[in-house]
Amino acid sequence: MSTFVLIHGSWGGGWVWDRMRPVLEEAGHRVLTPTLTGFAEKHDLSRPEVGLSTHVREIADLLTIEEVDNAILVGHSYGGMVITGVVALVPDRISQIVYVDAFAPITGESAFAVLPWLEDAFTAPEGGPDWEVAPLDPRALGADEDGATWLEGRLTPMPLLTHAEPLGPGSEDVLEGKEVTYIHCAAQEFFNDTAAAAAKRGFRLVTLTEVTHVEVLVQPRVLARELLLLL
């Protein structure tokens, strides 16, 4: 039995894995799907100071509390920022790292540094604080109407610092000694450059031509297949 720890992306929550979690559990594996502070059911904890380092620490603490020592750590989109930081804090609790159409930063990079256009695309929620970011339309992220309906009814604003705070040091050396996979959803171009850079860094590159950035969540058996092939 392996333990999958699935980290969601922008505006999401642990719920984004609801369609895939049963597939992995039916295959006999343990699955943890935490919601990051400031998102979804934890949105009431959103504060200006909640950022990347907050989420890195809480996932590292989760692995310790749950006594996970063989985690397959999976991050989608913004979740890639988080898992990169977690690797530096608790490397001995992680067996594999998997980026799913995600940020794969190096020390000193923020999400805005990786995808500079995001900073202009992000806006504050209507009537909300200027330190939060309103969800983008899932259709712009590659969702069809069914997928958009499932997603947009549950997406919440998130703290801006999540994407503005740079990654701390320590992850590069650890990643060199781990099995690292980058799964690129090539039906959309958001992370083309990131996937190419990941391949140059020696990450195993898997290209999915049939799903977009968010379809990989809406149609989860495609991703589940790739995750199970890692075992």
Side-chain angles (χ1 to χ4, degrees):
M1 180 183 74
S2 296
T3 300
F4 288 94
V5 182
L6 311 179
I7 308 302
H8 64 82
S10 302
W11 310 293
W15 62 267
V16 305
W17 306 107
D18 284 354
R19 296 186 175 188
M20 189 173 74
R21 180 174 186 159
V23 181
L24 299 177
E25 289 178 336
E26 287 167 9
H29 303 291
R30 183 186 184 194
V31 184
L32 302 179
T33 58
T35 291
L36 301 171
T37 294
F39 293 73
E41 72 272 17
K42 295 182 179 180
H43 184 240
D44 62 331
L45 301 176
S46 187
R47 301 287 187 276
E49 63 272 18
V50 171
L52 175 61
S53 58
T54 307
H55 297 148
V56 168
R57 170 49 62 188
E58 72 179 328
I59 298 305
D61 288 347
L62 173 72
L63 297 183
T64 301
I65 292 167
E66 293 288 339
E67 299 182 337
V68 178
D69 58 10
N70 65 337
I72 300 174
L73 194 57
V74 180
H76 174 250
S77 197
Y78 167 67
M81 298 290 302
V82 178
I83 66 173
T84 308
V86 173
V87 169
L89 294 187
V90 286
D92 293 342
R93 294 190 177 276
I94 300 164
S95 62
Q96 293 195 53
I97 302 97
V98 185
Y99 295 90
V100 180
D101 219 41
F103 297 92
I106 60 174
T107 296
E109 283 188 329
S110 67
F112 286 152
V114 176
L115 293 182
W117 62 267
L118 276 181
E119 195 162 6
D120 291 332
F122 282 1
T123 59
E126 185 174 353
D130 60 5
W131 49 265
E132 281 199 320
V133 179
L136 292 178
D137 186 338
R139 296 165 190 81
L141 303 175
D144 61 16
E145 283 303 314
D146 288 341
T149 299
W150 179 60
L151 290 165
E152 67 187 350
R154 301 177 70 178
L155 298 176
T156 55
M158 64 183 177
L160 180 64
L161 191 60
T162 56
H163 286 59
E165 184 177 0
L167 178 72
S171 62
E172 285 94 335
D173 291 341
V174 178
L175 284 171
E176 286 183 6
K178 297 285 186 183
E179 292 185 57
V180 186
T181 300
Y182 194 97
I183 298 177
H184 178 213
C185 300
Q188 211 160 15
E189 298 180 354
F190 291 148
F191 287 103
N192 282 4
D193 291 343
T194 304
K200 288 181 180 179
R201 291 170 67 184
F203 297 2
R204 173 177 172 265
L205 180 62
V206 175
T207 301
L208 302 179
T209 58
E210 65 268 50
V211 289
T212 65
H213 184 65
V214 296
E215 282 176 342
V216 76
L217 303 174
V218 177
Q219 304 174 28
R221 288 191 177 273
V222 177
L223 178 57
R225 176 193 69 204
E226 296 300 331
L227 294 180
L228 293 172
L229 285 174
L230 298 174
L231 305 179

